[in-house]
């Protein structure tokens, strides 16, 4: 058998055992780095390194564990010398006056949302609580090694000895890193959101779409809690409370009644919308991706990502056709 034939068979064998874990590795890398685009690159690097080492894989652990070990090391290397990806509320500043001009700092690389998919494997569906936007934002406050230990121990439920082997440190070091990570996370992570039953959430979201597309500001903010937060990277500006959110929507948002189209999406295990803005030529173009936190009292948080480059990650076009609009 030729060398090329042997290599082809080996590559097929590798992909057969490794490819089923690609999507959950993407979620793992996203938790580590806070960017779906960077996570995709890191998964590619993980599979490249795994393929190169496949002939030396001794099967002392499962393929899944082996791939996670490689992915974690790839992420830690990528995070060396790199700043964290925050949300505007995570910068430590006070809520903003809606009358002030929104501020866009050029030096900050922001957290991105993670698109959910209908065909996500069970490992992701079950673990979507660990993908919620607020938690991933809180993880960004941890140094990379603490972040890795926390994710491996508390999300993936690895034993301390497995984490120690993956990170090439002692079990005592793993336990120390985990203790510090949990303490830090407790100081920055928000309270767990109370989940809302699907029928009630669907009815609220339907009202949200109708109010937004009509640009009925009073109807929109009626769906928010009294202390709701509205933030919109890449602007560091963020607002809190119905009155400030209403002022922003009424005076800053460029849409007119009938000038927006909201397409439902799901991100980080949360409901959301891809918002298209109608231009003077009548064409609906990508405007923002909204990820909402919905509780029993209404929408408590709106993360509005003004990065139209995210639309491709959600499998959405940047321009809607006449039929779609």
């Amino acid at each position: 058998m030729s060398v090329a034939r042997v290599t082809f068979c080996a590559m097929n064998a590798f992909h057969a055992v490794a490819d089923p874990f690609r999507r959950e590795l993407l979620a793992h890398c996203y938790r580590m780095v806070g960017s779906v685009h960077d996570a995709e690159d890191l998964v590619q690097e993980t599979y490249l390194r795994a393929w190169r080492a496949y002939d030396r894989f001794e099967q002392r652990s499962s393929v899944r564990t082996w791939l996670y070990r490689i992915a974690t090391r790839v992420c830690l290397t990528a995070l060396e010398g790199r700043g964290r990806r925050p949300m505007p509320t995570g910068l430590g500043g006070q809520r903003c006056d809606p009358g002030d001009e929104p501020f866009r700092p050029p030096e900050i690389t922001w957290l991105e949302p993670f698109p959910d998919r209908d065909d996500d494997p069970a490992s992701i569906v079950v673990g979507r609580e660990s993908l919620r936007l607020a938690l991933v934002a809180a993880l960004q406050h941890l140094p990379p090694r603490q972040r890795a230990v926390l994710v491996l121990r508390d999300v993936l439920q690895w034993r301390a000895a497995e984490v120690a082997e993956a990170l090439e440190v002692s079990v005592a070091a793993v336990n120390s890193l985990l203790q510090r990570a949990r303490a830090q996370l407790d100081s920055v992570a928000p309270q767990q959101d109370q989940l809302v039953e699907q029928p009630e959430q669907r009815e609220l979201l339907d009202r949200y779409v109708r109010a937004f597309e009509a640009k009925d500001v009073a109807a929109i903010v009626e769906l928010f809690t009294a202390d709701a937060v509205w933030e919109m990277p890449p602007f560091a500006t963020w607002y809190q409370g119905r009155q400030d959110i209403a002022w922003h929507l009424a005076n800053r948002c460029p849409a007119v009644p009938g000038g927006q189209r909201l397409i439902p999406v799901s991100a980080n295990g949360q409901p959301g919308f891809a918002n298209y803005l109608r231009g003077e030529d009548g064409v609906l173009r990508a405007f923002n991706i909204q990820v909402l936190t919905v509780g029993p009292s209404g929408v408590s948080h709106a993360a509005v990502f003004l990065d139209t480059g995210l639309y491709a990650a959600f499998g959405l076009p940047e321009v809607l056709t006449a039929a779609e609009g």
Side-chain angles (χ1 to χ4, degrees):
M1 186 180 291
S2 69
V3 173
R5 179 65 177 168
V6 170
T7 302
F8 179 76
C9 291
M11 184 172 291
N12 279 347
F14 168 74
H15 284 294
V17 299
D19 280 357
F21 305 108
R22 186 177 291 269
R23 179 67 180 171
E24 62 179 277
L25 287 170
L26 181 66
H28 176 62
C29 292
Y30 169 75
R31 291 186 191 96
M32 287 291 296
V33 302
S35 161
V36 66
H37 293 112
D38 287 356
E40 288 170 348
D41 292 340
L42 294 171
V43 169
Q44 287 296 103
E45 177 64 21
T46 296
Y47 273 78
L48 180 61
R49 291 192 190 185
W51 161 242
R52 288 172 175 168
Y54 188 54
D55 61 340
R56 301 189 300 278
F57 176 50
E58 299 176 353
Q59 299 187 12
R60 289 184 299 163
S61 63
S62 67
V63 172
R64 180 176 184 264
T65 299
W66 178 63
L67 288 170
Y68 268 99
R69 188 182 302 136
I70 297 171
T72 302
R73 291 172 180 171
V74 167
C75 289
L76 288 173
T77 298
L79 288 168
E80 289 177 1
R82 185 186 297 186
R84 66 185 178 94
R85 284 180 172 266
M87 289 292 284
T89 49
L91 296 178
Q94 297 296 313
R95 58 192 282 187
C96 303
D97 186 324
D100 293 340
E101 194 70 26
F103 171 58
R104 181 173 183 169
E107 71 280 4
I108 295 180
T109 306
W110 299 98
L111 185 70
E112 295 176 354
F114 184 83
D116 300 329
R117 291 193 335 202
D118 293 338
D119 62 345
D120 274 337
S123 57
I124 295 182
V125 174
V126 171
R128 275 187 181 154
E129 281 299 307
S130 65
L131 282 168
R132 289 183 73 80
L133 202 60
L135 178 57
V136 177
L139 286 173
Q140 299 298 301
H141 288 266
L142 302 178
R145 280 191 172 268
Q146 287 186 26
R147 201 180 308 173
V149 168
L150 188 91
V151 170
L152 293 173
R153 289 283 282 126
D154 287 359
V155 176
L156 297 178
Q157 301 294 306
W158 281 23
R159 292 179 290 107
E162 292 177 302
V163 179
E165 182 180 359
L167 301 185
E168 299 179 326
V169 297
S170 67
V171 171
V174 166
N175 291 333
S176 175
L177 286 165
L178 181 62
Q179 184 178 17
R180 281 180 281 160
R182 285 173 174 168
Q184 173 78 350
L185 199 66
D186 285 344
S187 70
V188 296
Q191 295 250 329
Q192 184 89 350
D193 302 314
Q194 188 175 348
L195 298 180
V196 181
E197 294 298 322
Q198 280 299 321
E200 288 84 353
Q201 185 181 98
R202 192 175 303 113
E203 191 272 337
L204 183 145
L205 294 175
D206 287 345
R207 290 170 59 196
Y208 187 90
V209 170
R210 290 195 298 270
F212 238 96
E213 292 186 345
K215 200 178 180 181
D216 185 342
V217 173
I220 295 171
V221 297
E222 182 182 315
L223 301 173
F224 282 81
T225 62
D227 59 349
V229 168
W230 177 283
E231 53 185 332
M232 45 188 182
F235 293 99
T237 306
W238 62 278
Y239 311 116
Q240 185 168 28
R242 292 186 183 123
Q243 182 176 342
D244 286 1
I245 294 173
W247 195 98
H248 167 74
L249 292 174
N251 296 280
R252 297 285 187 196
C253 178
V256 298
Q260 297 176 95
R261 175 87 163 85
L262 269 61
I263 305 295
V265 298
S266 180
N268 300 79
Q270 299 170 234
F273 298 98
N275 188 7
Y276 290 83
L277 186 68
R278 194 180 304 278
E280 293 182 0
D281 56 1
V283 176
L284 286 161
R285 295 181 176 84
F287 183 34
N288 60 54
I289 299 281
Q290 302 182 12
V291 181
L292 306 180
T293 302
V294 181
S297 302
V299 178
S300 61
H301 186 273
V304 182
F305 296 90
L306 293 161
D307 177 4
T308 56
L310 292 168
Y311 277 62
F314 283 83
L316 293 170
E318 290 198 16
V319 177
L320 289 185
T321 64
E324 292 169 319

